[in-house]
Amino acid sequence: MSVEDRVRQVVADVLGLPVDRIGLETSHQDVDGWDSLNVINMMMAIESEFAVELDADDAGRLVSVAAIVDVVRERIG
Amino acid sequence: MPPRSMNRFPKAADYFKRARDLEAGAAAPDQRDVTSVAVLSSFTADFLRPYLIVEAAELGLSVRPWFGPFGAFEQQVLDDRAPLWAQLPEVVWIAMRIEDVDPQLVHDLPEIGPERAAERLGHLRQRVVQLAEAIRARSTANILVSNFACPRPLDLFDASDPDGLSHLCAAENRELARALTRITGAHVFDWNGVIGGWGTARATDAKLWYLARTPIAADLQPVVARNLARCLRALLHPAAKCIVVDLDNTLWGGVLGDDGAEGLQLGDLHPGRAFRDLQYALRELRRRGFLLAIASKNDAALVGDTLASHPEMVLRPGDFAAIVANWEPKPTNLRQIAATLNIGLDALVFIDDNPVERAHVRAELPMVHVVEWPTDPLKFASALADVAVLDRPRLLADDRARAARVAHDQKRLALEHGAASVDEFLSGLQMVATIGAGDEIELPRIHQLIHKTNQFNLTTRRHPIEEIAQLSRSPAAAVRWLRLRDRFGDLGLVCVGIVRPSDDGTWEIDTFLMSCRVMGRGVEQAFLHDLVRAAIEAGARRIRGVYRPTPKNHIVADFYRQYGFAEIGRTGEAVEYEISEAALPSWPPFIEREASST
């Protein structure tokens, strides 16, 4: 599975939405449940999915699927 | 998810997904057995939600967790209209950390000295104890109170100072444990042990702490959840009673039939040490009141010889309540063991290195707890420690005596064969019964019997401990128990009965149960006589008894009829009976009655 697809799946699992409703462009403005609590949950889920470690500044960047994909790409190099 | 070991957890996203599925299932209208768990914490604990739901489900529990706003303890507990009470919690977990409620303590210690520091810790302890007392006063919920993990980092020489913070915390934890033993249904949640077991240094992820006020690192979340789930299971369900082990490559290394006793791996040399350590661990469990049994495909005589005479053997024949060595299928032998020991198959834990045997037992006897056993003997100890059905909230003196009692039962059996008649046999037992009512000291044992007695149990009503306490304090009800001893030893508290007024001079027997190991000795008749008499003395004109059938209690289906009750009607499956004083069964002559000392 591509990085994009894996991120979409993680976001879907954390938010409890079907994965086909999550696109690259999906952002915190489109989804009610994408709140501060779930940003932290996404952080933990992304770390666990990709076996990477994010830092505190990354939390502020987890605002859309595309942005999360960028963060992950930076970490996995 | 497949069976897992302590060290393998699914990914975080899998927990989210599975937790949602489970929550949807728990919300279905036909789903009744969902346990409401309320968490009051000094930190953000909400992240535990999916982990707790999934880990509890792994242990067969459906839970609905609720997390109070962090730091709000008294506001929730002391206000009857607070959201906490709207949850109707069955379990409340008070999770207070030193770092959150007295964050300066570590930094102040060098200035204020140990006495002031101990005083400040004492305040925290009193605070959680008072919370527990306030919960007890308002609800019948089980209460878990986190003990204190010493805040880190401390300097390396803190532990050299007998008044250092680590020792002060340890002393406070002991006081906490003591204080909670005085509150019915309250227990320590070993936060200190969970954090220490995982490793203080990696327990907290600084980023999660500073961003989200959660001190639990991502990979520790499922571990905390699993430990909490194990506590819940132990509080809400009975523990297993008997551990059934295989022999070859489980209790010892090698195959007895092929390698001979002298060729077995057992003793001080690797890998024999790992097998010996498993035997030590099993012996410890036996001493804690669990029964041990053997189910092995082996020659019985050879097994007996080896257990008795192998110089390195830790467990000897006398340690096992049943030894079944033959070539029958394991499910057949497990059935035989359960029947011999007079316990249900669901009270068995099965340990076998052979995955085929495990699969066979799982398929044929799904109620048996089959442990996913590792092939590597070095992993045996942790596999045994992971068996959640061996968790029990506290050790009762009666449990410890149970294993010893089985040996007595064998002597009793020998006596039975030597007696000319049943009456002669029963007289020869020199039974002495003590009956008491409603005293606090017997509550834990009464509660335990109410929750684990399946066969000789007329109504199988699993009252929570607080309800039993309430009933026993109430003047218009009787909670009575019977202790039995005979010439072979003390059998402990074996009967529990609850009788309460129902309507217009009729009292109903809410609960009547007896431990199966004293069946057929007239004890049930003695206890029934006493319970009915007690109700009549309290003003009852008629006594009603109800038999509520379950898959396990058919042995008492005819109990009331046998003792002179008349059937008066049926409600669904339940059968109702009544008796008046004239028809009361007499106290059997071969049981001496002793006045209760309490």
Side-chain angles (χ1 to χ4, degrees), chain B residues 19-240:
Chain B
R20 262 180 240 284
D21 293 345
L22 288 164
E23 276 184 304
D30 57 336
Q31 188 67 38
R32 277 163 305 162
D33 270 347
V34 182
T35 302
S36 169
V37 179
V39 181
L40 296 176
S41 56
S42 59
F43 52 88
T44 312
D46 308 50
F47 298 105
L48 284 169
R49 175 191 299 277
Y51 303 98
L52 182 57
I53 291 171
V54 173
E55 289 297 331
E58 289 291 315
L59 303 180
L61 294 175
S62 179
V63 300
R64 185 178 61 241
W66 173 84
F67 297 89
F70 78 82
F73 292 94
E74 288 79 3
Q75 297 91 315
Q76 294 290 329
V77 170
L78 301 181
D79 178 359
D80 293 335
R81 287 165 308 173
L84 165 69
W85 298 119
Q87 309 305 318
L88 304 174
E90 284 156 80
V91 182
V92 182
W93 173 31
I94 301 174
M96 191 184 282
R97 296 193 323 143
I98 297 169
E99 295 91 322
D100 306 328
V101 289
D102 193 351
Q104 292 304 316
L105 182 65
V106 183
H107 310 303
D108 289 351
L109 181 61
E111 188 178 274
I112 62 175
E115 275 163 33
R116 265 294 285 145
E119 212 173 282
R120 271 160 69 171
L121 280 171
H123 283 148
L124 302 192
R125 188 220 338 133
Q126 282 158 14
R127 192 173 162 200
V128 290
V129 170
Q130 279 163 7
L131 284 165
E133 284 167 345
I135 292 168
R136 178 49 61 251
R138 284 169 174 76
S139 142
T140 60
N142 284 288
I143 304 166
L144 287 169
V145 181
S146 286
N147 57 8
F148 300 113
C150 187
R152 301 281 164 171
L154 294 164
D155 72 273
L156 263 181
F157 291 94
D158 177 80
S160 308
D161 178 356
D163 291 324
L165 191 58
S166 46
H167 300 300
L168 296 182
C169 288
E172 215 49 67
N173 281 340
R174 193 164 187 208
E175 285 307 309
L176 174 66
R178 248 188 219 123
L180 292 185
T181 61
R182 293 190 280 268
I183 303 175
T184 313
H187 305 270
V188 169
F189 177 66
D190 192 9
W191 175 260
N192 182 43
V194 172
I195 298 297
W198 183 250
T200 309
R202 59 188 179 130
T204 296
D205 177 342
K207 148 188 87 203
L208 293 179
W209 172 240
Y210 287 109
L211 284 177
R213 252 181 204 278
T214 182
I216 309 173
D219 48 3
L220 178 58
Q221 303 263 0
V223 178
V224 171
R226 178 173 299 179
N227 280 284
L228 192 56
R230 283 178 70 160
C231 276
L232 300 179
R233 196 218 62 80
L235 292 178
L236 301 168
H237 295 287

Side-chain angles (χ1 to χ4, degrees), chain B residues 325-404:
Chain B
N326 56 31
W327 307 98
E328 298 290 318
K330 296 255 169 160
T332 310
N333 287 341
L334 290 180
R335 280 199 191 94
Q336 190 199 322
I337 287 169
T340 307
L341 302 178
N342 220 353
I343 58 181
L345 282 158
D346 57 359
L348 300 184
V349 170
F350 178 59
I351 292 178
D352 195 313
D353 66 300
N354 185 338
V356 178
E357 302 285 19
R358 295 200 299 266
H360 190 183
V361 172
R362 271 203 193 97
E364 204 164 307
L365 303 174
M367 64 296 258
V368 171
H369 302 275
V370 179
V371 183
E372 203 43 38
W373 199 244
T375 45
D376 179 358
L378 305 195
K379 294 178 179 156
F380 284 3
S382 68
L384 188 64
D386 285 350
V387 180
V389 284
L390 298 177
D391 295 331
R392 266 191 311 207
R394 75 179 69 171
L395 186 62
L396 302 172
D398 259 34
D399 284 320
R400 232 176 279 140
R402 190 198 305 147

Side-chain angles (χ1 to χ4, degrees), chain B residues 234-295:
Chain B
L235 292 178
L236 301 168
H237 295 287
K241 293 173 186 162
C242 178
I243 306 163
V244 185
V245 289
D246 170 52
L247 293 177
D248 294 333
N249 289 318
T250 301
L251 211 57
W252 54 61
V255 176
L256 180 60
D258 297 339
D259 305 323
E262 63 292 346
L264 298 179
Q265 294 164 332
L266 184 68
D268 208 34
L269 288 173
H270 176 75
R273 278 169 67 197
F275 291 101
R276 194 183 55 179
D277 283 348
L278 175 66
Q279 293 203 15
Y280 282 131
L282 289 168
R283 189 172 65 177
E284 180 194 331
L285 287 166
R286 186 184 71 76
R287 288 170 175 167
R288 282 164 49 190
F290 293 98
L291 301 171
L292 301 180
I294 290 171

Side-chain angles (χ1 to χ4, degrees), chain A residues 3-20:
Chain A
V3 170
E4 286 92 336
D5 286 345
R6 286 165 73 191
V7 169
R8 283 174 54 225
Q9 187 64 56
V10 166
V11 170
D13 288 344
V14 170
L15 298 175
L17 294 170
V19 71
D20 54 21

Side-chain angles (χ1 to χ4, degrees), chain A residues 14 16 41 43 47-48 54, chain B residues 11-12 16-17 20 47 207 218:
Chain A
V14 170
N41 279 328
M43 201 162 184
E47 287 187 330
S48 153
L54 307 187
Chain B
K11 289 180 176 173
F16 283 96
K17 199 164 159 15
R20 262 180 240 284
F47 298 105
K207 148 188 87 203

